Amino acid sequence: MPTVLPTTLSVRPPSVGGALRALEGLLMRGGQRTARRNAWTAVLEDRRRAKDRREAQHVLEAVAAPGPQAT
């Protein structure tokens, strides 16, 4: 006995735009992860440089201040 599909069931082939969006999603997923990781690394590096600047400024102020030097 042959199987008969309902006539209301229609399968549309994927559109070119839909296929491109799906492909872009697959390709960009890893790229976005890398971009976020790179951005976070940059934030941490900026914080480290800011800390170094604060410490250098503190040393320069201590050297420039008149009076006894702390050792």
Side-chain angles (χ1 to χ4, degrees), residues 8 21-22 38-39 53 65:
T8 58
R21 278 191 295 278
N38 290 345
R53 281 193 303 272

Side-chain angles (χ1 to χ4, degrees), residues 29-44:
R29 190 170 27 201
Q32 288 173 348
R33 196 175 318 130
T34 300
R36 279 192 296 270
R37 188 171 39 246
N38 290 345
W40 183 245
T41 301
V43 166
L44 295 177

